[in-house]
Amino acid sequence: MLIRDAEVDGQRCNVRLADGLIAAMAPALPPLPNEPTLDARGGALLPGLHDHHIHLNATAASLMSVRCGPPDVRDAAGLIAALHHAPGDDWLRGVGYHASVAGEIDRQWLDRNGPARPVRIQHRSGRMWIFNSLALRELGGGAPADGRLIDGDAWLRGRLPVTPLDLRPVGDRLAALGVTGLTEVTPRNDRADYLRYAQAGLPQHLLVMGGPTLDDAPPVGLASRGAVKLHYHDHDLPPLDQLVAEVARAHAANRPVASHCVTQAELVVTLAAIAEAGAMVGDRIEHAAIVTPDNADWIARLGLVAVSQPHFIVERGDAYRRDVTLEDRRWLYRLRGLRAAGVGLAAGSDAPFGGLNPWASMAAAVQRPNDLGPDEVLTPEEALALYTGQPHAPAVPRKIAVGERADLCLIDRHWAAARADLAAVTVRATWVAGRLVYGTIASTNPHSSASDAEMRRIDSAI
């Protein structure tokens, strides 16, 4: 394929893709016989975006679920309306609930206010399900009487109807946002999960984290094995020597670790364990939600990468203002401060627990509320780099150059306009390993270009 009149690093040029790579770049490239072409019309051609932290199964399920929390639902009346307006009369699955909507709801609240069908609502954290009485009856007992099941996904999976999840709608939505790669971070992933992801028909490259059963998992199609995911919370933090052993075992299998850290306690124990075991290139801190200056320096000394969610500041701002102490808000989802300390930075959606749109996340990294770390902002170029890192080295940016893999996205404007309003960017086309996975080829005739009318039709279709 020939991409005509694209902006690359501020210069207008033509870009030829062949055999999955960027084959040529020049101000003028004559089209080859029968070569498909796309007229970029001066739009910026960028490295394809990589979502460095996503839960694919849960995201696919969320697309078929009722949104029950901010920003879609903000009060009890809105939640009641959303539940009653949901179509169907079988199981209703809600996602994204937070106590800021209607308090600590339970079985009785759902019985009084919800529809007469089995209802289960997931808390925004992903760690709790709330059931009504009809749902508890369907599950056959064993859940808490108040309907609030915490950290019970394994118990729940054996009692719910098995519904195969189609991941392709997730991949298609992400391709339309310019995403060419994904890192699946669910800690319980095993070899069977890995094969399901690899065979799901996703258009993106896929890096799959999980447990020790993935140690010798070979590449399958666009999928490859990622880090060992460590997922502990304040209430279940293991003894330090146990965590040191887990890190050392992963490193002995030539796998880095990626540790869930949303509290200072989780972060400090993780850093102590990695320091004792010895850090490995590729070790990561997931979320890095609260990082004091001392801990930022510690992360930098260990050479770890912090994978953040800048959009949480916007999506969860009201809850942070209410639930996070004033002192801790200074260190909440830091960006500029971590970068200044020498910490490598990347970002991911944490979907379905955060929004899928990387452009909205970039915008949130560039402009933050005055009371939630306004000094932590990045430049638009630094925000883009959060999503253009290597899959295995997310803080190492990819580039557009001859010989590089053709994972690309074309946006609807030149970069100077895009950087002024990242949230407004629209992606016109996305390529994964040189294959167009989103967008429309303008012309296959090497001697003509699409007319303005044709391009308007193509743009409306995209």
Side-chain angles (χ1 to χ4, degrees):
M1 172 176 284
L2 182 66
I3 306 170
R4 300 169 57 185
D5 191 27
E7 180 193 62
V8 178
D9 296 331
Q11 303 296 317
R12 303 282 276 269
C13 66
N14 292 354
V15 179
R16 173 166 287 124
L17 314 181
D19 299 323
L21 303 176
I22 299 173
M25 297 172 57
L29 288 173
L32 301 175
N34 300 316
E35 182 176 43
T37 66
L38 190 150
D39 189 347
R41 293 181 296 169
L45 186 66
L46 305 170
L49 309 182
H50 192 104
D51 187 326
H52 293 284
H53 187 114
I54 189 171
H55 303 270
L56 284 169
N57 284 334
T59 301
S62 75
L63 296 183
M64 303 180 289
S65 303
V66 177
R67 304 299 302 178
C68 295
D72 306 88
V73 172
R74 295 190 176 275
D75 55 30
L79 175 59
I80 293 168
L83 295 176
H84 281 277
H85 290 159
D89 56 8
D90 54 354
W91 276 88
L92 186 156
R93 184 184 193 274
V95 294
Y97 183 76
H98 188 267
S100 60
V101 173
E104 302 295 342
I105 66 172
D106 57 11
R107 173 181 61 83
Q108 292 184 348
W109 191 96
L110 287 175
D111 288 349
R112 289 194 308 270
N113 297 291
R117 57 191 292 194
V119 176
R120 61 179 177 122
I121 296 177
Q122 187 181 47
H123 188 269
R124 186 174 69 187
S125 67
R127 296 184 56 202
M128 179 169 67
W129 287 98
I130 308 158
F131 304 97
N132 68 356
S133 293
L134 289 174
L136 293 177
R137 192 177 309 154
E138 291 279 341
L139 294 172
D146 63 0
R148 292 164 62 88
L149 177 69
I150 299 174
D151 292 336
D153 280 359
W155 175 89
L156 184 59
R157 281 195 301 275
R159 289 163 173 79
L160 286 173
V162 177
T163 305
L165 289 169
D166 184 358
L167 301 184
R168 288 173 298 181
V170 178
D172 291 344
R173 287 196 182 200
L174 288 165
L177 293 166
V179 176
T180 60
L182 306 168
T183 299
E184 188 355 279
V185 299
T186 306
R188 63 172 179 269
N189 285 332
D190 58 19
R191 287 183 73 96
D193 295 311
Y194 175 72
L195 288 175
R196 279 195 292 271
Y197 295 135
Q199 298 166 359
L202 290 163
Q204 288 86 7
H205 298 283
L206 182 61
L207 191 66
V208 181
M209 294 184 184
T213 63
L214 297 182
D215 282 354
D216 58 352
V220 178
L222 294 177
S224 59
R225 180 207 69 194
V228 172
K229 180 70 180 293
L230 305 177
H231 194 258
Y232 294 106
H233 305 282
D234 278 4
H235 74 279
D236 65 357
L237 286 171
L240 180 60
D241 58 351
Q242 178 184 325
L243 194 55
V244 170
E246 286 191 61
V247 174
R249 192 219 64 80
H251 290 176
N254 198 31
R255 294 178 67 190
V257 295
S259 184
H260 168 99
C261 295
V262 298
T263 69
Q264 291 198 62
E266 292 163 7
L267 179 60
V268 167
V269 171
T270 294
L271 296 180
I274 293 176
E276 179 69 20
M280 175 181 176
V281 173
D283 286 343
R284 303 165 36 148
I285 301 298
E286 305 300 308
H287 309 300
I290 298 177
V291 183
T292 62
D294 286 347
N295 286 335
D297 291 339
W298 196 0
I299 294 172
R301 289 197 302 273
L302 291 171
L304 312 182
V305 172
V307 179
S308 184
Q309 288 75 43
H311 49 298
F312 280 179
I313 291 294
V314 174
E315 296 172 0
R316 305 181 175 187
D318 290 345
Y320 292 152
R321 292 179 180 96
R322 185 184 62 253
D323 300 336
V324 178
T325 67
L326 187 61
E327 172 63 21
D328 281 347
R329 282 184 224 159
R330 300 170 59 194
W331 320 123
L332 192 62
Y333 286 98
R334 301 180 69 196
L335 298 170
R336 171 64 55 198
L338 293 183
R339 186 180 175 90
V343 176
L345 283 178
S349 64
D350 198 23
F353 311 112
L356 273 178
N357 189 342
W359 300 97
S361 184
M362 291 180 220
V366 169
Q367 186 171 12
R368 290 170 58 128
N370 289 333
D371 60 339
L372 292 175
D375 296 334
E376 294 295 337
V377 295
L378 300 177
T379 68
E381 291 74 22
E382 291 167 342
L384 176 66
L386 297 175
Y387 286 92
T388 58
Q390 307 280 350
H392 289 277
V396 178
R398 289 173 289 117
K399 58 185 178 181
I400 296 180
V402 173
E404 294 291 322
R405 194 168 66 190
D407 298 332
L408 306 166
C409 69
L410 172 68
I411 63 174
D412 65 339
R413 61 199 74 192
H414 54 82
W415 179 247
R419 73 186 307 279
D421 190 357
L422 289 168
V425 165
T426 296
V427 172
R428 289 188 54 212
T430 303
W431 293 263
V432 175
R435 183 171 71 91
L436 187 69
V437 298
Y438 175 75
T440 305
I441 297 172
S443 172
T444 57
N445 182 344
H447 303 296
S448 67
S449 60
S451 68
D452 288 343
E454 286 178 304
M455 290 309 300
R456 285 194 293 271
R457 174 181 58 78
I458 291 165
D459 285 345
S460 65
I462 296 174

